[in-house]
Amino acid sequence: MRVLVVADIHGNRAALEAVREPFDLCLCVGDLVDYGPEPAWCVDWVRRHAAHCVRGNHDHGAAQNVEIQGAGGFRFLTAVTRPLSVAALSPVQRRYLAELPTSRMFTLSGKRFLMVHATPRDPMDEYAPPDPAFWKPRLAGLKVDYLLAGHTHIPYTLQVGATLVVNPGSVGIGRDGNPLASYAVIDGDEVQLKRVGYPVEQTVAAMEATVRDDTARQMLTDVFRTGGLPARWLRNGTSGPG
């Protein structure tokens, strides 16, 4: 079975459309909305294609209309784009996000999978680096072959005991210095982390048509084009939620 794993789409339709990988099953590890200009289309894509999806922190925030107070970095961008996401989503789409589970466990081809947006300890918010010492206590007692997580926007695979941690990176908004859309494919026992180019300027143009704050427009343009937030935009050494 060929499994496509996507995460952190963040309303970037052009990037999601560029992921044309053939698959038998699609899994989505959360954060469909915020930052990008077309969250409604992305939610509908996931509803149509993903067999399983878990709720990310941005999905929760948009579903509940959680206001963000942030002076810089990605917190500021969340504060600016959150109202736009809420306005773009229909009540049905927001209810879909609100009803997504924070974790999902299931079996595929005899392998046990656990999906969370962040970590099993804190499914929506904890930032998980590719560090075995970090993951070992969070996987203790979990008899799973695969742990699928997102949130960091940084793709990696990591073997921790009997569990393979797979973070597919971000489809919609890179944070590792690479602007290409990132995703993972699990084909049998082989896991591939993949990247694909997409028409970034199409996303930038759509974003500029919806975001009115000049600073946010400049920041998002930089992120979409470079795959990260240049240091000049960061304050207090933090980039905010993923």
Side-chain angles (χ1 to χ4, degrees):
M1 177 176 288
R2 188 175 179 85
V3 180
L4 171 65
V5 186
V6 296
D8 297 286
I9 300 166
H10 286 295
N12 192 339
R13 174 178 178 172
L16 185 54
E17 285 185 314
V19 179
R20 298 174 181 172
E21 197 76 36
F23 61 87
D24 300 307
L25 190 79
C26 178
L27 304 174
C28 180
V29 200
D31 271 7
L32 285 61
V33 300
D34 287 347
Y35 303 142
E38 298 182 77
W41 190 94
C42 294
V43 170
D44 284 345
W45 188 98
V46 171
R47 292 178 68 193
R48 290 195 308 272
H49 293 96
H52 299 293
C53 182
V54 291
R55 190 186 341 153
N57 56 309
H58 286 268
D59 304 321
H60 180 82
Q64 306 297 335
N65 197 15
V66 177
E67 294 185 6
I68 296 291
Q69 301 297 323
F74 281 94
R75 287 193 65 85
F76 168 69
L77 293 178
T78 303
V80 171
T81 60
R82 173 67 48 77
L84 303 177
S85 291
V86 172
L89 298 173
S90 70
V92 170
Q93 290 167 329
R94 287 180 64 192
R95 185 162 58 251
Y96 170 77
L97 296 179
E99 292 176 350
L100 287 173
T102 56
S103 66
R104 175 77 77 179
M105 188 176 288
F106 50 92
T107 300
L108 291 176
S109 302
K111 300 293 186 179
R112 193 73 166 160
F113 284 72
L114 174 61
M115 290 172 54
V116 292
H117 179 62
T119 72
R121 180 177 295 180
D122 184 350
M124 288 195 294
D125 290 305
E126 188 173 32
Y127 190 92
D131 178 1
F134 174 92
W135 275 106
K136 186 175 180 179
R138 288 159 178 82
L139 294 173
L142 294 174
K143 297 180 180 180
V144 295
D145 298 290
Y146 292 97
L147 186 288
L148 307 183
H151 194 49
T152 66
H153 296 218
I154 299 173
Y156 64 85
T157 61
L158 185 70
Q159 189 72 46
V160 183
T163 301
L164 183 65
V165 178
V166 179
N167 187 321
S170 173
V171 170
I173 187 162
R175 294 179 68 171
D176 62 346
N178 189 329
L180 302 182
S182 181
Y183 61 96
V185 172
I186 303 174
D187 193 355
D189 293 327
E190 182 184 9
V191 179
Q192 295 178 298
L193 298 175
K194 296 194 169 189
R195 301 268 193 172
V196 64
Y198 74 94
V200 173
E201 295 309 314
Q202 181 177 320
T203 296
V204 169
M207 177 274 298
E208 290 180 336
T210 58
V211 175
R212 295 290 175 253
D213 185 281
D214 288 338
T215 299
R217 290 168 67 175
Q218 295 173 38
M219 291 171 68
L220 284 166
T221 296
D222 282 350
V223 176
F224 288 129
R225 287 176 176 170
T226 68
L229 195 59
R232 66 193 179 99
W233 295 119
L234 302 179
R235 298 182 184 178
N236 301 322
T238 180
S239 61

